């Protein structure tokens, strides 16, 4: 199968986003535009009428081939606050029948004249595949694909960091735990580098923090105390057992002893460090309850910020598609 470059695929001729598949290749201006727009939507969330008509008359389909609560619900809320009509489809699928079932599903949904598909799939590359095969002017948003990428999660994390720390310059950010299976961490790495964080540290056991991450501009630590020393932001990750093959860990209790974020390990970070987690959290496995519910935790802020970031991404890609359509109908080159 011929694959087009995701960066080329997701931008229109004017360099605006028309799909949102990966952060790889997106520049600081685009990421900052998303954060600025999300900030303005966040202020709107405090008003009694939370709706704006930016997606009125548009049909958005949540196409989730893999389970999700937070991500699906916040996408749904985001689309509804933009006045779109939203349909939720949870489709169980097997990896082997991927190509066939994806195309079949796609054709059926296209026949319903949808304007946007929000796609979560256990196979890396599935949203990209859909973006290549769907009819023009339908926006595809990646809501998490395999262990490849979860760009809207990374952007809501960036919004949370910016709102608490003001800027990225000078920040030391630690990502702790199961890096190997984490699409969230891969997207966060792109975002943090592009937005100018001073240092990105990845902390965990050798089996879950492979050395190739160093090529992505991060420092690797196998010791939690050394890794957390002096950091401004701590991002904890869940052990993604559904993606693990074979024994990568001695035991959960051993993992907690060495890498769990407790009140005592948190004291190694800066005094005003914030604690983040994409969820779902496993208390007593990667994070202690006192820390998850404590004063450093911004885990629930992340959820709220997720709605605003998704509103920003949905409205930006929809106008990128519209612009594309206008260029097409005026005879623009593609
Ligand atoms: C993450 C995911 O699905 O990749 N969760 C999320 O989107 N909120 C992380 C995880 O599953 O651990």
């Amino acid at each position: 199968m011929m694959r087009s470059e995701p960066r080329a695929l997701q931008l229109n001729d004017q360099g605006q986003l028309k799909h949102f598949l990966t952060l790889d290749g997106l520049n600081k201006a685009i990421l900052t535009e998303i954060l600025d727009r999300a900030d303005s939507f966040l202020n709107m969330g405090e008003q009694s009428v939370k709706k704006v008509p930016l997606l009125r008359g548009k049909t958005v389909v949540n196409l989730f081939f893999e389970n999700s609560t937070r991500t699906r619900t916040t996408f749904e809320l985001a689309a509804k606050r933009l006045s779109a009509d939203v349909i939720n489809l949870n489709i169980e699928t097997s990896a082997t029948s991927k190509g066939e079932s994806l195309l079949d599903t796609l054709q059926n949904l296209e026949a319903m004249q949808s304007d946007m598909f929000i796609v979560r799939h256990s196979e890396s590359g599935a949203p990209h595949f859909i973006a290549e095969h769907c009819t023009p002017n339908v926006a595809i948003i990646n809501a998490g694909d395999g262990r490849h990428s979860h760009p809207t999660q990374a952007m809501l994390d960036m919004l949370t960091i910016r709102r608490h720390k003001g800027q990225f310059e000078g920040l030391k950010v630690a990502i702790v735990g199961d890096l190997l299976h984490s699409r969230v961490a891969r997207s966060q790495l792109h975002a943090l580098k592009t937005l100018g964080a001073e240092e990105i540290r990845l902390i965990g056991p050798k089996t879950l923090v492979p050395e190739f991450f160093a090529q992505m501009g991060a420092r690797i630590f196998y010791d939690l105390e050394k890794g957390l020393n002096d950091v401004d932001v701590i991002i904890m990750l869940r052990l993604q057992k559904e993606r693990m093959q074979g024994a990568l860990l001695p035991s959960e209790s051993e993992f907690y002893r060495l890498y769990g974020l407790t009140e005592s390990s948190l004291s190694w970070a800066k005094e005003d460090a914030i604690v983040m987690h994409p969820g779902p959290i496993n208390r007593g496995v990667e994070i202690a309850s006192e820390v998850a519910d404590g004063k450093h935790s911004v885990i629930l802020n992340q959820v709220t910020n997720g709605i605003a970031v998704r509103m920003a991404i949905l409205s930006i890609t929809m106008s990128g598609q519209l612009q594309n359509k206008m260029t097409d109908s005026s005879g623009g080159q593609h």
Side-chain angles (χ1 to χ4, degrees), residues 177-178 181 204-209 238-241 244-256 258-259 285-286:
D178 183 1
H181 302 97
K206 276 201 170 95
T207 45
L208 297 180
V209 188
R238 182 177 66 90
L239 293 175
Q240 289 146 81
K241 283 183 254 156
M244 289 187 193
Q245 277 149 8
L248 291 171
L249 282 174
S251 71
E252 281 186 0
S253 57
E254 183 69 358
F255 178 81
Y256 187 61
L258 292 173
Y259 297 103
V285 180
E286 71 272 358

Side-chain angles (χ1 to χ4, degrees), residues 43-74:
N43 300 335
M44 200 189 88
E46 285 151 20
Q47 293 162 14
S48 55
V49 178
K50 295 189 172 61
K51 285 205 179 195
V52 285
L54 289 170
L55 258 64
R56 191 162 55 202
K58 304 288 181 201
T59 303
V60 173
V61 181
N62 261 329
L63 194 52
F64 277 57
F65 294 89
E66 199 192 79
N67 283 343
S68 164
T69 329
R70 240 169 314 265
T71 304
R72 196 197 51 68
T73 324
T74 49

Side-chain angles (χ1 to χ4, degrees), residues 4 12 15 21 56 62 86 138 152 175 189-190 255 273 288 321:
S4 44
N12 69 18
L21 305 172
R56 191 162 55 202
N62 261 329
V86 188
V138 175
T152 63
I175 310 176
L189 267 162
H190 282 299
F255 178 81
Q321 286 289 351

Side-chain angles (χ1 to χ4, degrees), residues 9 13 54 87 116 198 201 213 230 244 285 298 300 327:
L9 189 65
D13 288 348
L54 289 170
I87 297 167
M116 184 178 279
E198 181 183 307
R201 301 181 184 178
F213 276 110
D230 214 27
M244 289 187 193
V285 180
V298 296
L300 293 178
T327 321

Side-chain angles (χ1 to χ4, degrees), residues 41-291:
F41 286 134
L42 259 185
N43 300 335
M44 200 189 88
E46 285 151 20
Q47 293 162 14
S48 55
V49 178
K50 295 189 172 61
K51 285 205 179 195
V52 285
L54 289 170
L55 258 64
R56 191 162 55 202
K58 304 288 181 201
T59 303
V60 173
V61 181
N62 261 329
L63 194 52
F64 277 57
F65 294 89
E66 199 192 79
N67 283 343
S68 164
T69 329
R70 240 169 314 265
T71 304
R72 196 197 51 68
T73 324
T74 49
F75 264 117
E76 182 174 352
L77 271 175
K80 285 184 169 162
R81 289 189 185 172
L82 293 167
S83 310
D85 296 316
V86 188
I87 297 167
N88 290 307
L89 291 175
N90 296 315
I91 306 163
E92 291 294 317
T93 187
S94 80
T96 43
S97 64
K98 184 192 121 193
E100 270 278 316
S101 67
L102 263 179
L103 278 181
D104 273 348
T105 314
L106 193 63
Q107 280 162 4
N108 280 283
L109 291 166
E110 282 173 349
M112 299 176 207
Q113 298 173 313
S114 311
D115 299 288
M116 184 178 279
F117 297 142
I118 296 165
V119 184
R120 169 169 286 201
H121 203 288
S122 57
E123 291 285 313
S124 297
H128 183 176
F129 177 84
I130 293 181
E132 281 181 315
H133 290 87
C134 71
T135 42
N137 310 119
V138 175
I140 310 299
I141 312 291
N142 184 357
D145 63 326
R147 56 167 90 172
H148 169 243
S149 153
H150 194 350
T152 63
Q153 174 70 43
M155 289 312 293
L156 76 88
D157 297 331
M158 297 307 114
L159 182 66
T160 308
I161 294 174
R162 197 174 79 166
R163 285 181 73 88
H164 283 87
K165 297 288 170 193
Q167 58 184 28
F168 294 92
E169 288 74 23
L171 289 187
K172 293 189 179 69
V173 181
I175 310 176
V176 187
D178 183 1
L179 273 292
L180 178 65
H181 302 97
S182 178
R183 52 193 176 204
V184 174
R186 283 172 176 78
S187 290
Q188 287 167 339
L189 267 162
H190 282 299
L192 287 165
K193 270 197 303 180
T194 307
L195 290 166
E198 181 183 307
E199 197 181 317
I200 309 162
R201 301 181 184 178
L202 309 180
I203 311 172
K206 276 201 170 95
T207 45
L208 297 180
V209 188
E211 276 169 20
F212 63 73
F213 276 110
Q215 294 156 20
M216 295 176 78
R219 281 180 73 190
I220 295 177
F221 291 81
Y222 300 117
D223 180 275
L224 186 64
E225 179 167 4
K226 290 198 179 98
L228 288 186
N229 177 41
D230 214 27
V231 299
D232 303 276
V233 177
I234 306 170
I235 302 173
M236 298 305 296
L237 299 174
R238 182 177 66 90
L239 293 175
Q240 289 146 81
K241 283 183 254 156
E242 74 280 14
R243 299 197 188 107
M244 289 187 193
Q245 277 149 8
L248 291 171
L249 282 174
S251 71
E252 281 186 0
S253 57
E254 183 69 358
F255 178 81
Y256 187 61
R257 191 177 68 76
L258 292 173
Y259 297 103
L261 192 65
T262 59
E263 285 190 324
S264 103
S265 51
L266 176 58
S267 70
W268 296 325
K270 276 199 185 136
E271 229 173 282
D272 63 348
I274 55 169
V275 174
M276 299 172 53
H277 194 309
I281 64 174
N282 287 311
R283 293 166 187 263
V285 180
E286 71 272 358
I287 189 163
S289 269
E290 304 82 74
V291 176

